[in-house]
Amino acid sequence: MGAYILRRLLLIFPTLFGILLVNFVLIQFVPGGPIEQIIAEIEQGANALDRVTGGSGDAGVGNDDDGYQGGRGLPQEFIEELEREFGFDKPPIERFGAMIWNYLRFDFGESYFRSISVVDLVLEKMPVSITLGLWGTLIAYIVSIPLGISKAVKDGSSFDTWTSGIIIAAYALPGFLVAILLLVLFAGGSYWQIFPLRGLTSDNWESLTVMGKILDYFWHITLPVTASLIASFASMTLLTKNSFLDEIRKQYVMTARAKGLTENKVLYGHVFRNAMLIVVAGLPGAFISIFFGASLIIEVIFSLDGLGRLGFEAAVKRDYPVMFGTLYVFGLMGLLMAIVSDLMYVWIDPRIDFESRET
Protein backbone atom coordinates (compact mmCIF):
# COMPACT_ATOMS: atom_id res chain seq x y z
CA MET A 1 0.00 0.00 0.00
CA GLY A 2 2.92 2.31 0.69
CA ALA A 3 4.18 2.02 -2.88
CA TYR A 4 0.69 2.73 -4.22
CA ILE A 5 0.34 5.88 -2.10
CA LEU A 6 3.79 7.03 -3.20
CA ARG A 7 2.85 6.60 -6.87
CA ARG A 8 -0.36 8.52 -6.35
CA LEU A 9 1.48 11.33 -4.60
CA LEU A 10 4.01 11.53 -7.42
CA LEU A 11 1.19 11.70 -9.99
CA ILE A 12 -0.07 14.87 -8.32
CA PHE A 13 2.73 16.94 -9.85
CA PRO A 14 2.17 16.10 -13.54
CA THR A 15 -1.59 16.43 -13.02
CA LEU A 16 -1.25 19.91 -11.53
CA PHE A 17 1.22 20.78 -14.28
CA GLY A 18 -1.35 19.83 -16.92
CA ILE A 19 -4.13 21.80 -15.21
CA LEU A 20 -1.99 24.93 -14.94
CA LEU A 21 -0.66 24.55 -18.50
CA VAL A 22 -4.13 24.31 -20.06
CA ASN A 23 -5.40 27.34 -18.14
CA PHE A 24 -2.23 29.33 -18.83
CA VAL A 25 -2.57 28.70 -22.57
CA LEU A 26 -6.23 29.69 -22.50
CA ILE A 27 -5.65 33.06 -20.85
CA GLN A 28 -3.17 33.98 -23.57
CA PHE A 29 -6.14 34.24 -25.96
CA VAL A 30 -8.58 35.93 -23.57
CA PRO A 31 -8.87 39.70 -24.15
CA GLY A 32 -8.89 42.22 -21.35
CA GLY A 33 -5.83 41.28 -19.31
CA PRO A 34 -4.69 43.13 -16.18
CA ILE A 35 -2.69 45.70 -18.18
CA GLU A 36 -5.69 46.53 -20.36
CA GLN A 37 -7.95 46.80 -17.33
CA ILE A 38 -5.61 49.21 -15.54
CA ILE A 39 -5.24 51.31 -18.67
CA ALA A 40 -9.01 51.40 -19.17
CA GLU A 41 -9.61 52.48 -15.57
CA ILE A 42 -6.99 55.23 -15.77
CA GLU A 43 -8.29 56.54 -19.09
CA GLN A 44 -11.91 56.45 -17.97
CA GLY A 45 -11.00 58.38 -14.84
CA ALA A 46 -8.99 60.89 -16.86
CA ASN A 47 -11.77 61.36 -19.40
CA ALA A 48 -14.33 61.87 -16.66
CA LEU A 49 -12.15 64.49 -14.97
CA ASP A 50 -11.48 66.12 -18.32
CA ARG A 51 -15.22 66.47 -18.91
CA VAL A 52 -15.75 67.95 -15.45
CA THR A 53 -13.01 70.55 -15.87
CA GLY A 54 -13.83 71.18 -19.51
CA GLY A 55 -10.26 70.30 -20.46
CA SER A 56 -9.05 73.67 -19.17
CA GLY A 57 -6.98 72.43 -16.26
CA ASP A 58 -9.34 73.70 -13.53
CA ALA A 59 -9.71 72.13 -10.11
CA GLY A 60 -5.97 71.70 -9.74
CA VAL A 61 -5.54 69.53 -12.86
CA GLY A 62 -2.75 70.37 -15.23
CA ASN A 63 -3.73 71.57 -18.71
CA ASP A 64 -2.44 70.28 -22.04
CA ASP A 65 0.65 72.47 -21.79
CA ASP A 66 1.55 70.70 -18.55
CA GLY A 67 1.43 67.34 -20.29
CA TYR A 68 -2.07 66.33 -19.22
CA GLN A 69 -3.07 63.14 -21.10
CA GLY A 70 -6.79 63.09 -20.34
CA GLY A 71 -8.77 61.59 -23.20
CA ARG A 72 -5.62 61.17 -25.37
CA GLY A 73 -4.25 57.83 -24.18
CA LEU A 74 -1.34 56.96 -21.93
CA PRO A 75 2.36 57.25 -22.78
CA GLN A 76 3.94 54.14 -24.23
CA GLU A 77 6.65 54.34 -21.58
CA PHE A 78 4.04 54.02 -18.84
CA ILE A 79 2.50 50.95 -20.50
CA GLU A 80 5.90 49.33 -20.90
CA GLU A 81 6.63 50.00 -17.22
CA LEU A 82 3.37 48.27 -16.27
CA GLU A 83 4.32 45.28 -18.41
CA ARG A 84 7.71 45.04 -16.71
CA GLU A 85 6.13 45.34 -13.27
CA PHE A 86 3.70 42.48 -13.96
CA GLY A 87 6.25 40.41 -15.87
CA PHE A 88 4.49 40.61 -19.25
CA ASP A 89 7.65 41.83 -20.95
CA LYS A 90 8.91 38.23 -20.89
CA PRO A 91 7.90 35.44 -23.31
CA PRO A 92 4.96 33.24 -22.21
CA ILE A 93 7.16 30.12 -21.90
CA GLU A 94 9.53 31.92 -19.55
CA ARG A 95 6.64 33.25 -17.47
CA PHE A 96 5.05 29.80 -17.23
CA GLY A 97 8.34 28.17 -16.24
CA ALA A 98 8.90 30.75 -13.50
CA MET A 99 5.36 30.27 -12.24
CA ILE A 100 5.76 26.48 -12.02
CA TRP A 101 9.06 26.80 -10.19
CA ASN A 102 7.55 29.23 -7.69
CA TYR A 103 4.46 27.08 -7.19
CA LEU A 104 6.58 24.04 -6.39
CA ARG A 105 7.89 26.09 -3.47
CA PHE A 106 4.36 27.32 -2.65
CA ASP A 107 5.33 30.85 -3.63
CA PHE A 108 2.23 32.20 -5.37
CA GLY A 109 3.40 35.79 -5.57
CA GLU A 110 1.35 38.86 -4.76
CA SER A 111 -2.03 40.01 -6.01
CA TYR A 112 -1.90 42.52 -8.86
CA PHE A 113 -4.55 44.75 -7.30
CA ARG A 114 -4.06 44.22 -3.54
CA SER A 115 -0.96 44.75 -1.44
CA ILE A 116 -1.06 41.24 -0.03
CA SER A 117 0.42 37.88 -0.98
CA VAL A 118 -1.77 35.19 -2.52
CA VAL A 119 -0.96 32.80 0.35
CA ASP A 120 -2.21 35.33 2.90
CA LEU A 121 -5.35 35.91 0.82
CA VAL A 122 -6.10 32.19 0.60
CA LEU A 123 -5.51 31.68 4.32
CA GLU A 124 -7.73 34.67 5.07
CA LYS A 125 -10.64 33.31 3.00
CA MET A 126 -10.17 29.62 3.85
CA PRO A 127 -12.27 29.52 7.07
CA VAL A 128 -15.46 30.40 5.20
CA SER A 129 -15.01 27.70 2.56
CA ILE A 130 -13.93 25.10 5.10
CA THR A 131 -17.02 25.92 7.16
CA LEU A 132 -19.35 25.34 4.22
CA GLY A 133 -17.56 22.24 2.96
CA LEU A 134 -16.85 20.52 6.27
CA TRP A 135 -20.15 21.07 8.03
CA GLY A 136 -22.16 20.57 4.84
CA THR A 137 -20.52 17.20 4.14
CA LEU A 138 -20.66 16.07 7.77
CA ILE A 139 -24.35 16.87 8.22
CA ALA A 140 -25.25 15.39 4.85
CA TYR A 141 -23.61 12.08 5.80
CA ILE A 142 -25.04 12.04 9.32
CA VAL A 143 -28.58 12.49 8.00
CA SER A 144 -28.41 10.70 4.64
CA ILE A 145 -26.80 7.41 5.71
CA PRO A 146 -29.34 6.47 8.42
CA LEU A 147 -32.17 7.69 6.20
CA GLY A 148 -30.90 5.69 3.23
CA ILE A 149 -30.58 2.55 5.37
CA SER A 150 -34.13 2.99 6.68
CA LYS A 151 -35.45 3.45 3.16
CA ALA A 152 -33.64 0.31 2.00
CA VAL A 153 -35.04 -1.76 4.87
CA LYS A 154 -38.55 -0.37 4.30
CA ASP A 155 -38.34 -0.38 0.51
CA GLY A 156 -41.75 0.14 -1.08
CA SER A 157 -43.44 1.25 2.14
CA SER A 158 -45.28 4.54 2.65
CA PHE A 159 -42.24 5.85 4.56
CA ASP A 160 -40.04 5.15 1.55
CA THR A 161 -42.50 6.85 -0.79
CA TRP A 162 -43.04 10.13 1.04
CA THR A 163 -39.39 10.55 2.03
CA SER A 164 -38.40 10.02 -1.61
CA GLY A 165 -40.86 12.72 -2.63
CA ILE A 166 -39.42 15.18 -0.12
CA ILE A 167 -35.75 14.65 -0.97
CA ILE A 168 -36.37 14.72 -4.73
CA ALA A 169 -38.31 17.98 -4.36
CA ALA A 170 -35.41 19.40 -2.32
CA TYR A 171 -32.96 18.24 -4.98
CA ALA A 172 -34.96 20.04 -7.67
CA LEU A 173 -34.68 23.39 -5.87
CA PRO A 174 -31.68 25.48 -6.99
CA GLY A 175 -29.26 26.31 -4.20
CA PHE A 176 -29.53 30.06 -4.71
CA LEU A 177 -33.33 29.88 -4.49
CA VAL A 178 -33.13 27.99 -1.19
CA ALA A 179 -30.64 30.56 0.12
CA ILE A 180 -32.90 33.48 -0.80
CA LEU A 181 -35.91 31.70 0.69
CA LEU A 182 -34.05 31.14 3.96
CA LEU A 183 -33.06 34.80 4.06
CA VAL A 184 -36.61 35.96 3.46
CA LEU A 185 -38.08 33.64 6.07
CA PHE A 186 -35.49 33.62 8.86
CA ALA A 187 -33.10 36.56 8.40
CA GLY A 188 -35.50 39.48 8.65
CA GLY A 189 -36.55 39.54 5.00
CA SER A 190 -40.32 39.57 5.48
CA TYR A 191 -41.04 37.24 8.39
CA TRP A 192 -38.73 36.33 11.29
CA GLN A 193 -35.41 37.83 12.38
CA ILE A 194 -33.92 34.66 13.87
CA PHE A 195 -30.54 34.37 12.17
CA PRO A 196 -28.01 37.05 11.11
CA LEU A 197 -28.07 38.35 7.58
CA ARG A 198 -24.36 38.27 6.77
CA GLY A 199 -20.90 37.34 7.95
CA LEU A 200 -19.35 34.37 9.74
CA THR A 201 -19.19 36.02 13.17
CA SER A 202 -20.68 39.01 14.96
CA ASP A 203 -18.92 42.36 15.31
CA ASN A 204 -18.39 41.79 19.04
CA TRP A 205 -17.02 38.26 18.57
CA GLU A 206 -13.65 39.08 20.12
CA SER A 207 -15.28 40.19 23.37
CA LEU A 208 -17.41 37.04 23.74
CA THR A 209 -16.62 34.14 26.03
CA VAL A 210 -15.46 30.82 24.59
CA MET A 211 -18.98 29.38 24.74
CA GLY A 212 -20.35 32.62 23.37
CA LYS A 213 -17.98 32.44 20.39
CA ILE A 214 -19.01 28.85 19.66
CA LEU A 215 -22.72 29.69 19.83
CA ASP A 216 -22.23 32.82 17.72
CA TYR A 217 -20.32 30.83 15.10
CA PHE A 218 -23.04 28.19 14.77
CA TRP A 219 -25.70 30.92 14.80
CA HIS A 220 -24.11 32.52 11.75
CA ILE A 221 -23.43 29.35 9.75
CA THR A 222 -26.88 27.76 10.15
CA LEU A 223 -28.48 29.31 7.07
CA PRO A 224 -25.44 29.16 4.71
CA VAL A 225 -24.72 25.51 5.55
CA THR A 226 -28.39 24.57 5.20
CA ALA A 227 -28.57 26.22 1.78
CA SER A 228 -25.35 24.57 0.60
CA LEU A 229 -26.26 21.00 1.57
CA ILE A 230 -30.01 20.83 0.90
CA ALA A 231 -29.54 19.36 -2.58
CA SER A 232 -26.84 16.89 -1.52
CA PHE A 233 -29.30 15.03 0.73
CA ALA A 234 -31.06 13.49 -2.25
CA SER A 235 -28.05 12.03 -4.04
CA MET A 236 -26.44 10.76 -0.84
CA THR A 237 -29.65 9.23 0.52
CA LEU A 238 -30.56 7.47 -2.72
CA LEU A 239 -26.97 6.27 -3.17
CA THR A 240 -27.03 4.74 0.31
CA LYS A 241 -30.43 3.16 -0.24
CA ASN A 242 -29.52 1.58 -3.59
CA SER A 243 -26.19 0.35 -2.26
CA PHE A 244 -27.88 -1.37 0.68
CA LEU A 245 -30.61 -2.83 -1.53
CA ASP A 246 -27.98 -4.41 -3.79
CA GLU A 247 -26.25 -6.01 -0.81
CA ILE A 248 -29.44 -7.12 0.96
CA ARG A 249 -30.45 -9.17 -2.08
CA LYS A 250 -27.20 -11.13 -2.21
CA GLN A 251 -26.81 -14.75 -1.21
CA TYR A 252 -24.63 -14.20 1.86
CA VAL A 253 -27.40 -12.11 3.49
CA MET A 254 -29.90 -14.92 3.01
CA THR A 255 -27.37 -17.35 4.50
CA ALA A 256 -26.82 -15.09 7.52
CA ARG A 257 -30.55 -14.86 8.13
CA ALA A 258 -30.91 -18.62 7.76
CA LYS A 259 -28.33 -19.06 10.52
CA GLY A 260 -30.63 -17.18 12.88
CA LEU A 261 -28.79 -13.86 13.08
CA THR A 262 -30.87 -10.85 14.09
CA GLU A 263 -31.76 -8.25 11.47
CA ASN A 264 -29.48 -5.66 13.10
CA LYS A 265 -26.60 -8.14 13.12
CA VAL A 266 -27.17 -8.90 9.45
CA LEU A 267 -27.43 -5.21 8.52
CA TYR A 268 -24.59 -3.74 10.55
CA GLY A 269 -22.38 -6.81 10.90
CA HIS A 270 -22.41 -7.96 7.28
CA VAL A 271 -24.21 -5.60 4.90
CA PHE A 272 -22.96 -2.28 6.25
CA ARG A 273 -19.27 -2.74 5.44
CA ASN A 274 -19.89 -3.84 1.87
CA ALA A 275 -22.65 -1.31 1.17
CA MET A 276 -20.66 1.61 2.53
CA LEU A 277 -17.84 1.23 0.00
CA ILE A 278 -19.64 3.13 -2.72
CA VAL A 279 -20.86 5.72 -0.22
CA VAL A 280 -17.31 6.30 1.01
CA ALA A 281 -16.19 6.69 -2.59
CA GLY A 282 -18.48 9.69 -2.86
CA LEU A 283 -17.05 11.42 0.22
CA PRO A 284 -14.32 13.42 -1.54
CA GLY A 285 -16.71 14.40 -4.31
CA ALA A 286 -19.35 15.50 -1.83
CA PHE A 287 -16.83 17.58 0.11
CA ILE A 288 -15.30 19.15 -2.98
CA SER A 289 -18.70 19.94 -4.52
CA ILE A 290 -19.85 21.76 -1.39
CA PHE A 291 -16.43 23.29 -0.75
CA PHE A 292 -16.02 24.69 -4.26
CA GLY A 293 -19.20 24.26 -6.29
CA ALA A 294 -21.81 25.89 -4.08
CA SER A 295 -19.48 28.26 -2.27
CA LEU A 296 -19.63 31.16 -4.76
CA ILE A 297 -23.41 31.53 -4.80
CA ILE A 298 -23.77 30.98 -1.06
CA GLU A 299 -20.94 33.37 -0.25
CA VAL A 300 -22.43 36.13 -2.39
CA ILE A 301 -25.97 35.75 -1.03
CA PHE A 302 -24.90 35.56 2.62
CA SER A 303 -22.08 38.13 2.25
CA LEU A 304 -19.37 35.62 3.16
CA ASP A 305 -15.83 36.32 2.05
CA GLY A 306 -14.50 32.90 1.03
CA LEU A 307 -12.43 31.21 -1.65
CA GLY A 308 -15.28 30.96 -4.14
CA ARG A 309 -15.85 34.69 -4.10
CA LEU A 310 -12.11 35.35 -4.16
CA GLY A 311 -11.63 33.19 -7.25
CA PHE A 312 -14.59 34.78 -9.03
CA GLU A 313 -13.42 38.33 -8.36
CA ALA A 314 -9.89 37.42 -9.45
CA ALA A 315 -11.23 36.02 -12.74
CA VAL A 316 -13.27 39.16 -13.39
CA LYS A 317 -10.34 41.47 -12.64
CA ARG A 318 -7.82 39.19 -14.40
CA ASP A 319 -5.78 38.98 -11.20
CA TYR A 320 -3.67 36.10 -12.52
CA PRO A 321 -1.62 35.36 -9.37
CA VAL A 322 -4.82 34.92 -7.36
CA MET A 323 -6.49 32.97 -10.18
CA PHE A 324 -3.68 30.47 -10.56
CA GLY A 325 -2.94 30.36 -6.84
CA THR A 326 -6.52 29.37 -5.98
CA LEU A 327 -6.60 26.97 -8.94
CA TYR A 328 -3.45 25.30 -7.63
CA VAL A 329 -4.90 25.02 -4.13
CA PHE A 330 -8.23 23.66 -5.40
CA GLY A 331 -6.52 21.12 -7.65
CA LEU A 332 -4.12 19.99 -4.93
CA MET A 333 -6.93 19.53 -2.41
CA GLY A 334 -9.02 17.57 -4.90
CA LEU A 335 -6.16 15.20 -5.73
CA LEU A 336 -5.30 14.68 -2.07
CA MET A 337 -8.95 13.95 -1.26
CA ALA A 338 -8.94 11.24 -3.95
CA ILE A 339 -6.03 9.56 -2.18
CA VAL A 340 -7.86 9.85 1.15
CA SER A 341 -10.83 8.13 -0.50
CA ASP A 342 -8.64 5.16 -1.49
CA LEU A 343 -7.27 4.92 2.04
CA MET A 344 -10.80 4.88 3.43
CA TYR A 345 -11.63 2.04 1.03
CA VAL A 346 -8.86 -0.07 2.56
CA TRP A 347 -9.76 0.97 6.10
CA ILE A 348 -13.38 -0.15 5.66
CA ASP A 349 -12.57 -3.31 3.72
CA PRO A 350 -8.99 -4.62 4.22
CA ARG A 351 -9.58 -7.14 1.41
CA ILE A 352 -9.13 -4.34 -1.12
CA ASP A 353 -5.56 -4.17 -2.39
CA PHE A 354 -4.87 -1.47 -4.95
CA GLU A 355 -1.33 -2.64 -5.54
CA SER A 356 -2.39 -6.11 -6.62
CA ARG A 357 -5.01 -4.65 -8.93
CA GLU A 358 -2.38 -2.60 -10.75
CA THR A 359 -0.04 -5.57 -11.40
Side-chain angles (χ1 to χ4, degrees):
M1 190 64 184
Y4 171 78
I5 296 175
L6 180 60
R7 285 195 296 270
R8 290 292 302 273
L9 289 174
L10 292 176
L11 281 174
I12 288 178
F13 298 104
T15 305
L16 286 175
F17 179 86
I19 293 173
L20 293 174
L21 177 62
V22 170
N23 285 273
F24 185 86
V25 172
L26 287 177
I27 66 167
Q28 306 306 312
F29 303 98
V30 176
I35 301 295
E36 290 79 3
Q37 294 212 9
I38 292 176
I39 293 174
E41 290 179 3
I42 294 176
E43 291 183 341
Q44 287 174 4
N47 290 337
L49 187 59
D50 195 27
R51 287 194 297 269
V52 171
T53 61
S56 60
D58 295 338
V61 179
N63 55 24
D64 290 342
D65 294 335
D66 294 328
Y68 176 58
Q69 298 292 328
R72 298 189 305 170
L74 295 172
Q76 183 63 30
E77 295 81 6
F78 177 77
I79 297 176
E80 292 176 353
E81 179 62 29
L82 279 178
E83 291 177 346
R84 283 193 297 270
E85 181 179 349
F86 290 153
F88 290 106
D89 58 325
K90 301 175 182 177
I93 296 179
E94 184 177 346
R95 286 189 282 119
F96 180 74
M99 183 182 71
I100 292 297
W101 171 245
N102 290 331
Y103 280 18
L104 289 175
R105 298 176 292 146
F106 288 91
D107 179 10
F108 302 116
E110 189 173 289
S111 169
Y112 286 159
F113 304 101
R114 311 184 193 186
S115 299
I116 185 173
S117 69
V118 176
V119 173
D120 292 337
L121 266 177
V122 171
L123 293 177
E124 179 185 331
K125 315 300 182 184
M126 187 74 77
V128 172
S129 297
I130 289 180
T131 292
L132 294 177
L134 181 62
W135 288 110
T137 306
L138 181 62
I139 296 174
Y141 269 72
I142 289 175
V143 174
S144 298
I145 290 177
L147 180 59
I149 295 174
S150 299
K151 287 173 63 63
V153 174
K154 302 175 182 179
D155 184 40
S157 65
S158 58
F159 170 80
D160 181 38
T161 301
W162 65 263
T163 52
S164 295
I166 292 176
I167 61 176
I168 291 175
Y171 181 77
L173 292 174
F176 73 90
L177 184 60
V178 175
I180 294 173
L181 182 64
L182 291 175
L183 284 179
V184 171
L185 290 177
F186 303 111
S190 300
Y191 295 90
W192 303 282
Q193 179 68 57
I194 300 176
F195 297 98
L197 183 61
R198 60 176 59 89
L200 200 60
T201 57
S202 299
D203 295 335
N204 63 336
W205 192 80
E206 292 293 340
S207 62
L208 297 176
T209 62
V210 174
M211 182 56 65
K213 290 180 178 180
I214 295 174
L215 294 176
D216 181 76
Y217 170 74
F218 283 106
W219 183 46
H220 278 77
I221 70 172
T222 299
L223 294 186
V225 170
T226 301
S228 64
L229 64 85
I230 194 70
S232 63
F233 280 130
S235 56
M236 187 59 58
T237 301
L238 296 178
L239 178 64
T240 305
K241 175 190 173 182
N242 293 332
S243 180
F244 268 78
L245 281 178
D246 290 340
E247 293 297 323
I248 288 173
R249 294 165 180 166
K250 290 184 178 179
Q251 183 64 41
Y252 74 90
V253 176
M254 298 177 61
T255 303
R257 286 170 175 167
K259 290 181 178 180
L261 296 179
T262 63
E263 192 65 20
N264 284 338
K265 184 66 175 178
V266 172
L267 273 179
Y268 298 102
H270 294 77
V271 176
F272 185 81
R273 173 172 292 184
N274 296 327
M276 284 301 295
L277 286 174
I278 191 172
V279 178
V280 169
L283 176 60
F287 177 79
I288 294 299
S289 64
I290 296 177
F291 190 87
F292 301 138
S295 60
L296 173 60
I297 297 175
I298 301 303
E299 288 170 14
V300 171
I301 293 176
F302 289 98
S303 300
L304 299 174
D305 200 6
L307 288 177
R309 191 171 179 178
L310 174 66
F312 173 74
E313 292 177 351
V316 172
K317 295 180 180 179
R318 302 297 195 272
D319 196 346
Y320 293 152
V322 178
M323 282 178 57
F324 283 102
T326 53
L327 179 65
Y328 186 87
V329 173
F330 291 172
L332 181 60
M333 290 188 64
L335 293 170
L336 290 176
M337 288 300 294
I339 299 176
V340 171
S341 175
D342 290 345
L343 294 177
M344 293 183 69
Y345 264 124
V346 178
W347 176 65
I348 291 177
D349 191 348
R351 297 172 299 175
I352 296 178
D353 187 355
F354 290 103
E355 291 185 1
S356 63
R357 295 177 67 180
E358 290 186 349
T359 57

